[in-house]
Amino acid sequence: MTATAPLEAVEPRTRDYRLAILALAIGGFAIGTTEFQTMGILPQVADGVGVSVPQAGHVISAYALGVVVGVPILGMFGATLPRKGLLLGLMGAYGVFNLLSALASSYGLLMLARFLDGLPHGAYFGVASLVAAELADPRHRGRAIARVMLGLSIANVVGVPASTWLGEHGGWRASYVVSALLAALTVGMIWRFVPKIAPREGSSARNEASSFFTNKQVWLTMVAGALGFGGLFATYSYIAKTVTTVAHLSSDWTPVFVLGYGLGMVVGTWLAGELVRWSVLRTLVLFSMASIVMMLIFWLAAPVGWLLWPVAFLVALVGSVVATSMQVRLMDVAGDAVTLGAAMMHAALNVANALGAWIGGVVIDAGYSYRAPALAGAGLAIVGVAILMASVSLHRATAGAAVPD
C-alpha cells in the first residue's frame, strides 16, 4: 500500500491504536444513525414543518444527493489536506448541519440542511478508512477498515431504533440534536486519539481527478459493487410489506426482521475484515455470486413465514461483505487517487440504495408480489458479477497474474 508518511512520522502507532479506531468508528455510528433515522420519524418531521409525508420523504433524497455531490468534490480537494484536520472539519460540519436540521423552521430550510449534512458523509468514511489503513499493520489493514465500517452497521441495530424511539417520544428535533452530540463526541475522540498523518506528497485535486476518472478498474469495481449491493436494498426497502402480505406474519414481526438485517450487516462487515486478508478481489467476486443465490432463496422462502428471518439475515451479511470488500478494492486500484477512491464507494452505495429501491418499486407497480423485488435484485447481482469478471480479466491481462488479489 502507498503510505502518506513514513512509519516514524506517525509513531507511536500502537499507543492508543484501538482508541483511534474506536474514534473513527463512532463517527461511522453517528453518520449511520443520522442517515437512516429520518425514515423512522418521517411522520413527525412532516407534521413539524407542515407538509405531507410524501413531501417530507424528499428530505431523505436531499441527504442522499448531498452524499453523491460531496464525495467527488471533497474527495478531490481533501487530498491536499492533513487527514486528521480534514476528519475534524468533516465531522464538525456534520454536527453543525444536524443542529441546523433540528432548528429548521420551514420545509425549505430543512431540505437545505439535510443536503448540506450529506456532503461530508462519503468523504469522512473515505478519509477514515485511509487513516485506519495507515495506522494498522499492513497485514491487518482490511480488518482496520472493517472496524471503522462496523460503526455504520451497528448504527442500524442500536442507533436507528434508539433515535426513532427518541423522535417519537421527545420530538423529531431531539433526534437530530443527538446526532449533533455524537458528531461532537467524535470530534473530541479524533482530536485526542488519532495521530497526525500528512497528505500524500504531490497530491492535488487535478491529479486525483485525472488518475481516478481514467482508471478502468475503478469504474468496473464501483459499478459491479453498486449492482451487487443494490440487491440488498431491493429486498430491504419492502420488507414490511413482504412480512405482512407474503409471509403472512403480524406487523409486530417487522421490527424483528429489520433487526435481522442490522445484525447481518454487523456480522458481514466483521467477516469481510477477516476475508480480505485472504484476497480482496476473490472475496468481492465470491460474495457477489453468493448474493445471486441469496436473492433466489429469499424469493423462495418469503411465503414460509418466520423462516424468512434467517434468510434476511444472510442477505444483509452477504451484501455487507460485498460493500466492505469493495471499499478495500477501490483503495487498492485507485492509484494516485487513493483519497477519492476511498470516498467514492459511498457514492456508489447510495446509488445502489436508490437503484435497488427503484427497481423493486417498478416490479411491484407492474403487478407482481412484494417478494418479486428479490428476483430483480438477483438480476442486478448477475450483471454485477459479469462486470466483475471483466475486471478480473483486465487484472490478469495487465498484471500477468494467474489469480487476482
Coordinates of all heavy atoms in Angstrom, one line a residue, residues 120-170:
P120 N -20.5 15.8 3.9 CA -19.3 15.2 4.4 C -19.4 13.7 4.6 O -18.3 13.1 4.9 CB -19.3 15.8 5.9 CG -20.3 16.9 5.9 CD -21.3 16.5 4.9
H121 N -20.5 13.1 4.3 CA -20.7 11.6 4.6 C -19.6 10.8 3.9 O -18.9 10.1 4.6 CB -22.1 11.3 4.1 CG -22.5 9.8 4.2 ND1 -23.6 9.4 4.8 CD2 -21.8 8.7 3.7 CE1 -23.7 8.1 4.8 NE2 -22.6 7.6 4.1
G122 N -19.6 10.8 2.6 CA -18.7 9.9 1.9 C -17.2 10.2 2.1 O -16.4 9.3 2.3
A123 N -16.9 11.5 2.2 CA -15.5 12.0 2.4 C -15.0 11.5 3.7 O -13.9 11.1 3.9 CB -15.4 13.5 2.2
Y124 N -15.9 11.6 4.8 CA -15.5 11.1 6.1 C -15.1 9.7 6.1 O -14.0 9.3 6.6 CB -16.6 11.4 7.1 CG -16.2 10.8 8.5 CD1 -15.4 11.5 9.4 CD2 -16.6 9.5 8.8 CE1 -15.0 10.9 10.6 CE2 -16.2 8.9 10.0 CZ -15.4 9.6 10.9 OH -15.0 9.0 12.1
F125 N -16.0 8.8 5.5 CA -15.7 7.4 5.5 C -14.4 7.1 4.7 O -13.6 6.2 5.0 CB -16.9 6.6 5.0 CG -17.9 6.3 6.0 CD1 -19.2 6.9 5.9 CD2 -17.6 5.4 7.0 CE1 -20.1 6.6 6.9 CE2 -18.6 5.1 8.0 CZ -19.8 5.7 7.9
G126 N -14.3 7.8 3.6 CA -13.1 7.6 2.8 C -11.8 7.9 3.5 O -10.9 7.1 3.5
V127 N -11.8 9.1 4.1 CA -10.6 9.5 4.8 C -10.4 8.7 6.1 O -9.2 8.3 6.4 CB -10.6 11.0 5.2 CG1 -9.4 11.4 6.0 CG2 -10.8 11.9 4.0
A128 N -11.4 8.3 6.8 CA -11.3 7.5 8.0 C -10.8 6.1 7.6 O -10.0 5.5 8.3 CB -12.7 7.3 8.6
S129 N -11.2 5.6 6.5 CA -10.7 4.3 6.0 C -9.2 4.4 5.7 O -8.4 3.4 6.0 CB -11.4 3.8 4.8 OG -12.8 3.6 5.1
L130 N -8.8 5.4 5.1 CA -7.3 5.6 4.8 C -6.5 5.7 6.1 O -5.4 5.1 6.2 CB -7.1 6.9 3.9 CG -7.6 6.8 2.5 CD1 -7.5 8.2 1.8 CD2 -6.8 5.8 1.7
V131 N -7.0 6.5 7.0 CA -6.3 6.7 8.3 C -6.2 5.3 9.0 O -5.2 5.0 9.6 CB -7.0 7.7 9.2 CG1 -6.4 7.7 10.6 CG2 -6.8 9.1 8.5
A132 N -7.3 4.6 9.0 CA -7.3 3.2 9.7 C -6.3 2.3 9.0 O -5.5 1.6 9.7 CB -8.7 2.6 9.6
A133 N -6.2 2.4 7.7 CA -5.2 1.5 7.0 C -3.8 2.0 7.3 O -2.9 1.1 7.4 CB -5.5 1.6 5.5
E134 N -3.6 3.3 7.4 CA -2.2 3.8 7.8 C -1.8 3.4 9.2 O -0.6 3.0 9.4 CB -2.2 5.3 7.7 CG -2.4 5.9 6.3 CD -1.1 5.6 5.5 OE1 0.0 5.4 6.1 OE2 -1.2 5.7 4.2
L135 N -2.8 3.4 10.1 CA -2.4 3.1 11.5 C -2.2 1.6 11.7 O -1.5 1.2 12.7 CB -3.5 3.6 12.4 CG -3.7 5.1 12.5 CD1 -4.9 5.4 13.4 CD2 -2.5 5.8 12.9
A136 N -2.8 0.7 10.9 CA -2.8 -0.7 11.1 C -1.5 -1.3 10.5 O -0.9 -0.8 9.6 CB -4.0 -1.4 10.5
D137 N -1.1 -2.5 11.0 CA -0.1 -3.3 10.4 C -0.6 -3.6 9.0 O -1.8 -3.9 8.8 CB 0.0 -4.6 11.2 CG 1.1 -5.5 10.6 OD1 0.9 -6.0 9.5 OD2 2.2 -5.6 11.2
P138 N 0.2 -3.5 7.9 CA -0.2 -3.8 6.6 C -1.0 -5.1 6.4 O -1.9 -5.1 5.6 CB 1.1 -3.8 5.8 CG 2.0 -2.9 6.5 CD 1.6 -3.2 8.0
R139 N -0.7 -6.1 7.2 CA -1.4 -7.4 7.1 C -2.9 -7.3 7.6 O -3.7 -8.1 7.3 CB -0.7 -8.5 7.9 CG 0.7 -8.8 7.3 CD 1.4 -9.7 8.3 NE 1.6 -9.0 9.6 CZ 2.1 -9.6 10.7 NH1 2.4 -10.9 10.7 NH2 2.2 -8.9 11.8
H140 N -3.1 -6.2 8.4 CA -4.4 -6.1 9.1 C -5.2 -4.9 8.6 O -6.2 -4.5 9.3 CB -4.3 -6.1 10.6 CG -3.6 -7.3 11.1 ND1 -2.7 -7.3 12.2 CD2 -3.7 -8.6 10.8 CE1 -2.3 -8.5 12.4 NE2 -2.9 -9.4 11.6
R141 N -4.8 -4.3 7.5 CA -5.5 -3.1 7.1 C -7.0 -3.3 6.8 O -7.8 -2.5 7.1 CB -4.8 -2.4 5.9 CG -4.8 -3.2 4.6 CD -3.9 -2.7 3.6 NE -4.1 -3.5 2.4 CZ -4.9 -3.2 1.4 NH1 -5.6 -2.1 1.5 NH2 -5.0 -3.9 0.3
G142 N -7.3 -4.4 6.1 CA -8.7 -4.7 5.8 C -9.5 -4.9 7.1 O -10.6 -4.4 7.1
R143 N -8.9 -5.5 8.1 CA -9.6 -5.6 9.4 C -9.9 -4.2 10.0 O -10.9 -3.9 10.6 CB -8.8 -6.5 10.4 CG -9.5 -6.6 11.7 CD -8.6 -7.4 12.6 NE -8.4 -8.8 12.2 CZ -7.5 -9.7 12.7 NH1 -6.8 -9.3 13.7 NH2 -7.5 -10.9 12.3
A144 N -8.9 -3.3 9.9 CA -9.0 -2.0 10.5 C -10.1 -1.2 9.8 O -10.9 -0.5 10.4 CB -7.6 -1.2 10.4
I145 N -10.1 -1.3 8.5 CA -11.1 -0.6 7.7 C -12.5 -1.1 8.0 O -13.5 -0.4 8.2 CB -10.9 -0.8 6.2 CG1 -9.6 0.0 5.8 CG2 -12.1 -0.3 5.3 CD1 -9.1 -0.3 4.4
A146 N -12.6 -2.5 8.2 CA -13.9 -3.1 8.5 C -14.4 -2.6 9.9 O -15.6 -2.4 10.1 CB -13.8 -4.6 8.5
R147 N -13.5 -2.4 10.8 CA -13.9 -2.0 12.2 C -14.4 -0.5 12.1 O -15.3 -0.2 12.9 CB -12.7 -2.0 13.1 CG -12.3 -3.5 13.5 CD -11.1 -3.5 14.4 NE -10.9 -4.9 14.9 CZ -9.8 -5.3 15.5 NH1 -8.8 -4.5 15.8 NH2 -9.7 -6.6 15.9
V148 N -13.9 0.3 11.2 CA -14.4 1.6 11.1 C -15.8 1.5 10.5 O -16.8 2.2 10.9 CB -13.5 2.5 10.1 CG1 -14.2 3.8 9.8 CG2 -12.2 2.7 10.8
M149 N -16.0 0.6 9.5 CA -17.3 0.5 8.9 C -18.3 -0.2 9.8 O -19.5 -0.1 9.6 CB -17.2 -0.4 7.6 CG -16.3 0.2 6.6 SD -16.9 1.7 5.9 CE -18.4 1.2 5.1
L150 N -17.8 -0.9 10.8 CA -18.7 -1.5 11.8 C -19.6 -0.5 12.5 O -20.7 -0.8 12.9 CB -17.9 -2.3 12.9 CG -17.7 -3.8 12.6 CD1 -16.8 -4.4 13.7 CD2 -19.0 -4.5 12.5
G151 N -19.1 0.7 12.7 CA -19.9 1.8 13.3 C -21.1 2.1 12.5 O -22.2 2.2 13.1
L152 N -21.0 2.0 11.2 CA -22.2 2.2 10.3 C -23.2 1.1 10.5 O -24.4 1.3 10.6 CB -21.8 2.4 8.9 CG -22.8 2.6 7.8 CD1 -23.6 3.9 8.0 CD2 -22.2 2.6 6.4
S153 N -22.7 -0.1 10.6 CA -23.5 -1.3 10.7 C -24.2 -1.4 12.1 O -25.4 -1.7 12.1 CB -22.7 -2.6 10.5 OG -22.1 -2.6 9.2
I154 N -23.5 -1.1 13.1 CA -24.0 -1.1 14.5 C -25.1 -0.1 14.6 O -26.1 -0.2 15.4 CB -22.9 -1.0 15.5 CG1 -22.0 -2.2 15.5 CG2 -23.5 -0.8 16.9 CD1 -20.8 -2.1 16.4
A155 N -25.0 1.0 13.9 CA -26.0 2.1 13.9 C -27.4 1.6 13.5 O -28.4 2.0 14.1 CB -25.6 3.3 13.0
N156 N -27.4 0.6 12.6 CA -28.7 0.0 12.2 C -29.3 -0.8 13.2 O -30.5 -1.0 13.2 CB -28.5 -0.8 10.9 CG -28.3 0.1 9.7 OD1 -29.3 0.6 9.1 ND2 -27.1 0.3 9.2
V157 N -28.5 -1.4 14.1 CA -29.0 -2.2 15.2 C -29.4 -1.4 16.5 O -30.4 -1.7 17.1 CB -28.0 -3.3 15.5 CG1 -28.5 -4.2 16.7 CG2 -27.6 -4.1 14.3
V158 N -28.5 -0.4 16.8 CA -28.7 0.3 18.0 C -29.1 1.8 17.8 O -30.2 2.2 18.3 CB -27.4 0.3 18.8 CG1 -27.6 1.1 20.1 CG2 -27.0 -1.1 19.1
G159 N -28.4 2.5 17.0 CA -28.6 3.9 16.8 C -29.9 4.3 16.2 O -30.6 5.2 16.7
V160 N -30.3 3.6 15.1 CA -31.5 4.0 14.4 C -32.8 3.7 15.3 O -33.7 4.5 15.4 CB -31.6 3.3 13.0 CG1 -32.9 3.6 12.4 CG2 -30.4 3.8 12.2
P161 N -32.9 2.5 15.8 CA -34.0 2.2 16.7 C -34.1 3.2 17.9 O -35.2 3.7 18.2 CB -33.8 0.8 17.2 CG -33.0 0.2 16.2 CD -32.1 1.2 15.7
A162 N -33.0 3.5 18.5 CA -33.0 4.4 19.7 C -33.4 5.8 19.2 O -34.2 6.5 19.9 CB -31.6 4.4 20.3
S163 N -32.9 6.2 18.1 CA -33.2 7.6 17.6 C -34.7 7.7 17.2 O -35.3 8.7 17.4 CB -32.3 7.9 16.4 OG -32.6 9.1 15.8
T164 N -35.2 6.6 16.6 CA -36.6 6.6 16.3 C -37.5 6.7 17.5 O -38.5 7.4 17.5 CB -37.0 5.3 15.5 OG1 -36.2 5.2 14.3 CG2 -38.4 5.2 15.1
W165 N -37.1 5.9 18.5 CA -37.9 6.0 19.8 C -37.8 7.4 20.4 O -38.8 7.9 20.8 CB -37.3 5.0 20.8 CG -38.0 5.0 22.1 CD1 -39.1 4.2 22.5 CD2 -37.7 5.8 23.3 NE1 -39.4 4.5 23.8 CE2 -38.6 5.5 24.3 CE3 -36.7 6.7 23.5 CZ2 -38.6 6.1 25.5 CZ3 -36.7 7.4 24.8 CH2 -37.6 7.0 25.8
L166 N -36.6 8.0 20.3 CA -36.5 9.3 20.9 C -37.3 10.3 20.1 O -38.0 11.2 20.6 CB -35.0 9.8 20.8 CG -34.7 11.2 21.3 CD1 -35.1 11.3 22.8 CD2 -33.2 11.5 21.1
G167 N -37.3 10.2 18.7 CA -38.1 11.1 17.9 C -39.6 11.0 18.2 O -40.3 12.0 18.1
E168 N -40.1 9.8 18.5 CA -41.5 9.6 18.7 C -41.9 10.1 20.1 O -43.0 10.5 20.3 CB -41.8 8.1 18.7 CG -41.7 7.5 17.3 CD -41.9 6.0 17.2 OE1 -41.9 5.4 18.3 OE2 -42.1 5.4 16.1
H169 N -41.0 10.1 21.1 CA -41.3 10.5 22.4 C -40.8 11.8 22.8 O -41.4 12.5 23.7 CB -40.8 9.4 23.4 CG -41.5 8.1 23.3 ND1 -41.1 7.1 22.4 CD2 -42.6 7.5 24.0 CE1 -41.9 6.1 22.5 NE2 -42.8 6.3 23.4
G170 N -39.8 12.3 22.2 CA -39.2 13.6 22.6 C -39.3 14.6 21.5 O -38.7 15.7 21.6

